[in-house]
Amino acid sequence: MTEPTEPTDADGGTRGPLGPPPGPGSTRKRALTAVLGDLRAVDGALYAAVAATSTPTLDRALRRLSHAADHSKVSLGIAAALALSGARARRAALVGVGAVAVASASTNLLGKRLVHRARPDRETARVTVDRYVPMPASASFPSGHTAAAVAFATAVGVVLPEAAVPLGALASAVGYSRVHTGVHYPGDVAAGAVLGIASAAAALAAAAPARVRQPNTFTAW
């Protein structure tokens, strides 16, 4: 006579009162999966809400801004103007361009290769055709346009504080335009903004002049 065995799950593990309790690692993994699922749901709902909101007055302006931000053309144009405006502005422009380079490399060489998130389905979300810009072939996460714009605004704003507010507003508009035109989820833009701030910090640190420590001198009395 064979002894009764405990039923197994799809992974071959036992379940029920005689099975081992789930380990802490398994519990944490399930909790993380649930949280990520909720965040994706919120992200998709925000994307759908933007798509469903009729804004004919803004559609053309945001489409043009999104297109103008391709390859950081807006930021590089501002940097060129700053380069003609004095020594401090030239330094701000140089650091800003460096931040854009770090953000672009980090986005394309790391972020998009590590997180292969598909682009949103604009047709299913019913994004109006008047908002359309070309849908990039690269992964959706994070937003490279946002990362570069935020990196430039942050770096330049630190060196040239009077430019911080207008450039910050411009970077925010660029980030929103990517959602408005249907090529990014809001979460992609948020991640791009965080990456942009980190890239600016790296560029500012690299551009900081080296501090030469002077030896302490003591006067004997």
Side-chain angles (χ1 to χ4, degrees), residues 79-129:
L82 289 174
L84 303 175
S85 305
R88 191 161 62 97
R90 281 196 296 272
R91 180 171 178 270
L94 181 62
V95 175
V97 171
V100 169
V102 174
S104 298
S106 301
T107 300
N108 296 308
L109 299 180
L110 292 176
K112 292 184 181 293
R113 294 189 179 186
L114 293 175
V115 183
H116 302 282
R117 188 181 195 184
R119 293 279 175 171
D121 187 342
R122 287 191 293 198
E123 293 183 1
T124 300
R126 298 183 179 180
V127 177
T128 179
V129 178

Side-chain angles (χ1 to χ4, degrees), residues 23-219:
S26 177
T27 302
R28 285 194 295 268
K29 183 177 180 180
R30 286 199 299 270
L32 178 60
T33 301
V35 170
L36 291 177
D38 289 347
L39 290 176
R40 281 193 295 268
V42 172
D43 206 17
L46 290 173
Y47 178 86
V50 171
T53 303
S54 178
T55 55
T57 305
L58 293 175
D59 290 347
R60 178 178 295 182
L62 289 172
R63 187 182 71 239
R64 288 179 175 176
L65 176 61
S66 182
H67 180 69
D70 289 346
H71 308 296
S72 300
K73 292 192 295 288
V74 173
S75 296
L76 295 179
I78 295 173
L82 289 174
L84 303 175
S85 305
R88 191 161 62 97
R90 281 196 296 272
R91 180 171 178 270
L94 181 62
V95 175
V97 171
V100 169
V102 174
S104 298
S106 301
T107 300
N108 296 308
L109 299 180
L110 292 176
K112 292 184 181 293
R113 294 189 179 186
L114 293 175
V115 183
H116 302 282
R117 188 181 195 184
R119 293 279 175 171
D121 187 342
R122 287 191 293 198
E123 293 183 1
T124 300
R126 298 183 179 180
V127 177
T128 179
V129 178
D130 292 339
R131 299 182 182 184
Y132 276 23
V133 294
M135 180 67 77
S138 60
S140 188
F141 184 96
S143 168
H145 285 65
T146 307
V150 171
F152 182 79
T154 303
V156 172
V158 170
V159 180
L160 206 63
E162 56 268 32
V165 172
L167 289 181
L170 177 61
S172 298
V174 168
Y176 174 73
S177 75
R178 302 304 284 172
V179 180
H180 193 86
T181 55
V183 297
H184 274 295
Y185 292 103
D188 303 333
V189 170
V194 172
L195 184 59
I197 293 171
S199 299
L204 288 164
R211 295 181 178 179
V212 180
R213 294 185 178 181
Q214 298 295 334
N216 293 329
T217 57
F218 299 92
T219 303

